[in-house]
Amino acid sequence: MDLGELERDIRGCERCKLHRKRAQIVVGDGSSDADILFVGEAPGRQEDREGIPFVGRAGKLLDSFLDGIGLDRSDVYITNIVLCRPPNNRDPEDEEIKRCTEYLDRHIDILDPDVIVPLGSFATSYILDKYDLRGGSISSVHGKVFTVSNLKGSFKVVPQYHPAAALYNPDLKNIICDDFEKVKEVV
Ligand code: URA
């Protein structure tokens, strides 16, 4: 299985009610050789229109945080825990997360990343739970480095505040920049 086959499997998905109002499914963007996987929450209006994750205002911030550690989005892979836009950008519901994250799990299996960076509380709690990591709220785990060992070896999980949080609270920008340095350190 490669990313192209996964994408073909995802196209046309009607597993949850989000398919009714989406313009398109936003599968992911970046390099199939990426060592770092970023996982956001769900597409917004612009992502839904363009079919690419993080192309709106939060995406511009993500690009700048990546740039700060010498990375470009073509060096990494970016997806979301929910691949269709929730109406009016509401939070994704438990059922939607449950039905969609099989696709994230398959992305992880295919990419086999060295570092997973969940962005925001929804992605962080999904990833920490998936790997039985003892976490807590995003405010207590952001910028921490968790190590997961499995049959394939080991990899790191480095949760971050969601870039959109810095749109509403500019003080978070410096914190996120510092936390992104942790990603650079472990790569
Ligand atoms: N916010 C997200 O979490 N994901 C996107 O793709 C865009 C904004």
PDB file of all heavy atoms in Angstrom, residues 68-88:
ATOM      1  N   GLY A  68      10.946  28.604  10.477  1.00  0.00           N
ATOM      2  CA  GLY A  68      11.776  28.936  11.645  1.00  0.00           C
ATOM      3  C   GLY A  68      12.734  27.823  12.034  1.00  0.00           C
ATOM      4  O   GLY A  68      13.754  28.067  12.665  1.00  0.00           O
ATOM      5  N   ILE A  69      12.385  26.583  11.682  1.00  0.00           N
ATOM      6  CA  ILE A  69      13.316  25.482  11.999  1.00  0.00           C
ATOM      7  C   ILE A  69      13.929  24.917  10.701  1.00  0.00           C
ATOM      8  O   ILE A  69      14.364  23.771  10.649  1.00  0.00           O
ATOM      9  CB  ILE A  69      12.646  24.369  12.843  1.00  0.00           C
ATOM     10  CG1 ILE A  69      11.384  23.813  12.176  1.00  0.00           C
ATOM     11  CG2 ILE A  69      12.355  24.863  14.245  1.00  0.00           C
ATOM     12  CD1 ILE A  69      10.873  22.521  12.822  1.00  0.00           C
ATOM     13  N   GLY A  70      13.915  25.744   9.662  1.00  0.00           N
ATOM     14  CA  GLY A  70      14.614  25.372   8.430  1.00  0.00           C
ATOM     15  C   GLY A  70      13.897  24.322   7.603  1.00  0.00           C
ATOM     16  O   GLY A  70      14.530  23.613   6.820  1.00  0.00           O
ATOM     17  N   LEU A  71      12.584  24.214   7.774  1.00  0.00           N
ATOM     18  CA  LEU A  71      11.843  23.217   6.994  1.00  0.00           C
ATOM     19  C   LEU A  71      10.820  23.895   6.101  1.00  0.00           C
ATOM     20  O   LEU A  71      10.323  24.990   6.395  1.00  0.00           O
ATOM     21  CB  LEU A  71      11.108  22.235   7.923  1.00  0.00           C
ATOM     22  CG  LEU A  71      11.957  21.284   8.759  1.00  0.00           C
ATOM     23  CD1 LEU A  71      11.070  20.511   9.727  1.00  0.00           C
ATOM     24  CD2 LEU A  71      12.723  20.300   7.863  1.00  0.00           C
ATOM     25  N   ASP A  72      10.498  23.182   5.042  1.00  0.00           N
ATOM     26  CA  ASP A  72       9.510  23.641   4.091  1.00  0.00           C
ATOM     27  C   ASP A  72       8.421  22.570   4.092  1.00  0.00           C
ATOM     28  O   ASP A  72       8.700  21.423   4.439  1.00  0.00           O
ATOM     29  CB  ASP A  72      10.212  23.680   2.732  1.00  0.00           C
ATOM     30  CG  ASP A  72       9.333  24.230   1.661  1.00  0.00           C
ATOM     31  OD1 ASP A  72       9.280  25.458   1.558  1.00  0.00           O
ATOM     32  OD2 ASP A  72       8.713  23.437   0.924  1.00  0.00           O
ATOM     33  N   ARG A  73       7.201  22.927   3.692  1.00  0.00           N
ATOM     34  CA  ARG A  73       6.162  21.884   3.759  1.00  0.00           C
ATOM     35  C   ARG A  73       6.446  20.709   2.812  1.00  0.00           C
ATOM     36  O   ARG A  73       5.941  19.620   3.023  1.00  0.00           O
ATOM     37  CB  ARG A  73       4.751  22.433   3.611  1.00  0.00           C
ATOM     38  CG  ARG A  73       4.452  23.140   2.336  1.00  0.00           C
ATOM     39  CD  ARG A  73       2.946  23.223   2.121  1.00  0.00           C
ATOM     40  NE  ARG A  73       2.256  24.029   3.087  1.00  0.00           N
ATOM     41  CZ  ARG A  73       0.997  23.783   3.497  1.00  0.00           C
ATOM     42  NH1 ARG A  73       0.310  22.762   3.022  1.00  0.00           N
ATOM     43  NH2 ARG A  73       0.402  24.575   4.342  1.00  0.00           N
ATOM     44  N   SER A  74       7.294  20.920   1.822  1.00  0.00           N
ATOM     45  CA  SER A  74       7.635  19.787   0.944  1.00  0.00           C
ATOM     46  C   SER A  74       8.604  18.812   1.621  1.00  0.00           C
ATOM     47  O   SER A  74       8.864  17.734   1.110  1.00  0.00           O
ATOM     48  CB  SER A  74       8.226  20.293  -0.375  1.00  0.00           C
ATOM     49  OG  SER A  74       9.398  21.014  -0.108  1.00  0.00           O
ATOM     50  N   ASP A  75       9.157  19.197   2.798  1.00  0.00           N
ATOM     51  CA  ASP A  75      10.047  18.284   3.540  1.00  0.00           C
ATOM     52  C   ASP A  75       9.258  17.374   4.475  1.00  0.00           C
ATOM     53  O   ASP A  75       9.817  16.450   5.055  1.00  0.00           O
ATOM     54  CB  ASP A  75      11.010  19.070   4.455  1.00  0.00           C
ATOM     55  CG  ASP A  75      11.901  20.013   3.691  1.00  0.00           C
ATOM     56  OD1 ASP A  75      12.392  19.600   2.630  1.00  0.00           O
ATOM     57  OD2 ASP A  75      12.104  21.147   4.167  1.00  0.00           O
ATOM     58  N   VAL A  76       7.993  17.705   4.719  1.00  0.00           N
ATOM     59  CA  VAL A  76       7.210  16.991   5.737  1.00  0.00           C
ATOM     60  C   VAL A  76       5.920  16.473   5.087  1.00  0.00           C
ATOM     61  O   VAL A  76       5.704  16.684   3.890  1.00  0.00           O
ATOM     62  CB  VAL A  76       6.878  17.924   6.938  1.00  0.00           C
ATOM     63  CG1 VAL A  76       8.165  18.512   7.523  1.00  0.00           C
ATOM     64  CG2 VAL A  76       5.927  19.060   6.540  1.00  0.00           C
ATOM     65  N   TYR A  77       5.085  15.791   5.868  1.00  0.00           N
ATOM     66  CA  TYR A  77       3.758  15.433   5.358  1.00  0.00           C
ATOM     67  C   TYR A  77       2.734  15.998   6.355  1.00  0.00           C
ATOM     68  O   TYR A  77       2.957  15.950   7.572  1.00  0.00           O
ATOM     69  CB  TYR A  77       3.609  13.908   5.225  1.00  0.00           C
ATOM     70  CG  TYR A  77       2.371  13.541   4.442  1.00  0.00           C
ATOM     71  CD1 TYR A  77       2.407  13.409   3.046  1.00  0.00           C
ATOM     72  CD2 TYR A  77       1.142  13.356   5.084  1.00  0.00           C
ATOM     73  CE1 TYR A  77       1.264  13.109   2.314  1.00  0.00           C
ATOM     74  CE2 TYR A  77      -0.005  13.055   4.357  1.00  0.00           C
ATOM     75  CZ  TYR A  77       0.061  12.934   2.974  1.00  0.00           C
ATOM     76  OH  TYR A  77      -1.078  12.642   2.252  1.00  0.00           O
ATOM     77  N   ILE A  78       1.648  16.530   5.823  1.00  0.00           N
ATOM     78  CA  ILE A  78       0.639  17.179   6.666  1.00  0.00           C
ATOM     79  C   ILE A  78      -0.728  16.574   6.373  1.00  0.00           C
ATOM     80  O   ILE A  78      -1.147  16.481   5.207  1.00  0.00           O
ATOM     81  CB  ILE A  78       0.569  18.707   6.378  1.00  0.00           C
ATOM     82  CG1 ILE A  78       1.945  19.354   6.529  1.00  0.00           C
ATOM     83  CG2 ILE A  78      -0.444  19.376   7.297  1.00  0.00           C
ATOM     84  CD1 ILE A  78       2.006  20.811   6.045  1.00  0.00           C
ATOM     85  N   THR A  79      -1.421  16.135   7.424  1.00  0.00           N
ATOM     86  CA  THR A  79      -2.800  15.682   7.257  1.00  0.00           C
ATOM     87  C   THR A  79      -3.597  16.127   8.493  1.00  0.00           C
ATOM     88  O   THR A  79      -3.121  16.942   9.279  1.00  0.00           O
ATOM     89  CB  THR A  79      -2.866  14.153   6.999  1.00  0.00           C
ATOM     90  OG1 THR A  79      -4.222  13.782   6.708  1.00  0.00           O
ATOM     91  CG2 THR A  79      -2.375  13.344   8.185  1.00  0.00           C
ATOM     92  N   ASN A  80      -4.803  15.618   8.628  1.00  0.00           N
ATOM     93  CA  ASN A  80      -5.676  16.015   9.735  1.00  0.00           C
ATOM     94  C   ASN A  80      -6.322  14.775  10.335  1.00  0.00           C
ATOM     95  O   ASN A  80      -6.406  13.740   9.663  1.00  0.00           O
ATOM     96  CB  ASN A  80      -6.785  16.939   9.199  1.00  0.00           C
ATOM     97  CG  ASN A  80      -6.299  18.359   8.940  1.00  0.00           C
ATOM     98  OD1 ASN A  80      -5.809  19.032   9.832  1.00  0.00           O
ATOM     99  ND2 ASN A  80      -6.436  18.817   7.701  1.00  0.00           N
ATOM    100  N   ILE A  81      -6.844  14.879  11.566  1.00  0.00           N
ATOM    101  CA  ILE A  81      -7.540  13.708  12.107  1.00  0.00           C
ATOM    102  C   ILE A  81      -8.902  13.513  11.424  1.00  0.00           C
ATOM    103  O   ILE A  81      -9.407  12.411  11.361  1.00  0.00           O
ATOM    104  CB  ILE A  81      -7.715  13.701  13.656  1.00  0.00           C
ATOM    105  CG1 ILE A  81      -8.334  14.972  14.166  1.00  0.00           C
ATOM    106  CG2 ILE A  81      -6.423  13.404  14.370  1.00  0.00           C
ATOM    107  CD1 ILE A  81      -8.828  14.798  15.592  1.00  0.00           C
ATOM    108  N   VAL A  82      -9.478  14.614  10.935  1.00  0.00           N
ATOM    109  CA  VAL A  82     -10.744  14.538  10.197  1.00  0.00           C
ATOM    110  C   VAL A  82     -10.495  15.156   8.824  1.00  0.00           C
ATOM    111  O   VAL A  82      -9.960  16.258   8.729  1.00  0.00           O
ATOM    112  CB  VAL A  82     -11.858  15.277  10.979  1.00  0.00           C
ATOM    113  CG1 VAL A  82     -13.071  15.521  10.109  1.00  0.00           C
ATOM    114  CG2 VAL A  82     -12.259  14.486  12.219  1.00  0.00           C
ATOM    115  N   LEU A  83     -10.842  14.452   7.766  1.00  0.00           N
ATOM    116  CA  LEU A  83     -10.432  14.865   6.418  1.00  0.00           C
ATOM    117  C   LEU A  83     -11.467  15.705   5.666  1.00  0.00           C
ATOM    118  O   LEU A  83     -11.196  16.127   4.541  1.00  0.00           O
ATOM    119  CB  LEU A  83     -10.071  13.623   5.587  1.00  0.00           C
ATOM    120  CG  LEU A  83      -8.958  12.730   6.159  1.00  0.00           C
ATOM    121  CD1 LEU A  83      -8.651  11.573   5.194  1.00  0.00           C
ATOM    122  CD2 LEU A  83      -7.689  13.516   6.436  1.00  0.00           C
ATOM    123  N   CYS A  84     -12.653  15.898   6.261  1.00  0.00           N
ATOM    124  CA  CYS A  84     -13.655  16.756   5.617  1.00  0.00           C
ATOM    125  C   CYS A  84     -13.984  17.913   6.551  1.00  0.00           C
ATOM    126  O   CYS A  84     -13.922  17.781   7.774  1.00  0.00           O
ATOM    127  CB  CYS A  84     -14.933  15.966   5.320  1.00  0.00           C
ATOM    128  SG  CYS A  84     -14.661  14.648   4.116  1.00  0.00           S
ATOM    129  N   ARG A  85     -14.369  19.033   5.953  1.00  0.00           N
ATOM    130  CA  ARG A  85     -14.614  20.236   6.749  1.00  0.00           C
ATOM    131  C   ARG A  85     -15.892  20.127   7.589  1.00  0.00           C
ATOM    132  O   ARG A  85     -16.975  19.903   7.031  1.00  0.00           O
ATOM    133  CB  ARG A  85     -14.763  21.435   5.828  1.00  0.00           C
ATOM    134  CG  ARG A  85     -14.979  22.715   6.604  1.00  0.00           C
ATOM    135  CD  ARG A  85     -15.295  23.878   5.696  1.00  0.00           C
ATOM    136  NE  ARG A  85     -15.471  25.073   6.507  1.00  0.00           N
ATOM    137  CZ  ARG A  85     -16.298  26.064   6.209  1.00  0.00           C
ATOM    138  NH1 ARG A  85     -17.001  26.029   5.097  1.00  0.00           N
ATOM    139  NH2 ARG A  85     -16.408  27.103   7.007  1.00  0.00           N
ATOM    140  N   PRO A  86     -15.795  20.306   8.902  1.00  0.00           N
ATOM    141  CA  PRO A  86     -17.023  20.392   9.703  1.00  0.00           C
ATOM    142  C   PRO A  86     -17.723  21.723   9.399  1.00  0.00           C
ATOM    143  O   PRO A  86     -17.051  22.754   9.308  1.00  0.00           O
ATOM    144  CB  PRO A  86     -16.520  20.347  11.153  1.00  0.00           C
ATOM    145  CG  PRO A  86     -15.123  19.793  11.072  1.00  0.00           C
ATOM    146  CD  PRO A  86     -14.593  20.273   9.747  1.00  0.00           C
ATOM    147  N   PRO A  87     -19.053  21.714   9.231  1.00  0.00           N
ATOM    148  CA  PRO A  87     -19.768  22.946   8.881  1.00  0.00           C
ATOM    149  C   PRO A  87     -19.429  24.079   9.853  1.00  0.00           C
ATOM    150  O   PRO A  87     -19.339  23.854  11.068  1.00  0.00           O
ATOM    151  CB  PRO A  87     -21.242  22.555   9.005  1.00  0.00           C
ATOM    152  CG  PRO A  87     -21.250  21.070   8.859  1.00  0.00           C
ATOM    153  CD  PRO A  87     -19.946  20.573   9.386  1.00  0.00           C
ATOM    154  N   ASN A  88     -19.232  25.257   9.311  1.00  0.00           N
ATOM    155  CA  ASN A  88     -18.893  26.446  10.101  1.00  0.00           C
ATOM    156  C   ASN A  88     -17.663  26.261  10.995  1.00  0.00           C
ATOM    157  O   ASN A  88     -17.545  26.898  12.035  1.00  0.00           O
ATOM    158  CB  ASN A  88     -20.079  26.896  10.973  1.00  0.00           C
ATOM    159  CG  ASN A  88     -21.295  27.170  10.119  1.00  0.00           C
ATOM    160  OD1 ASN A  88     -21.185  27.786   9.060  1.00  0.00           O
ATOM    161  ND2 ASN A  88     -22.449  26.676  10.538  1.00  0.00           N
TER     162      ASN A  88
END
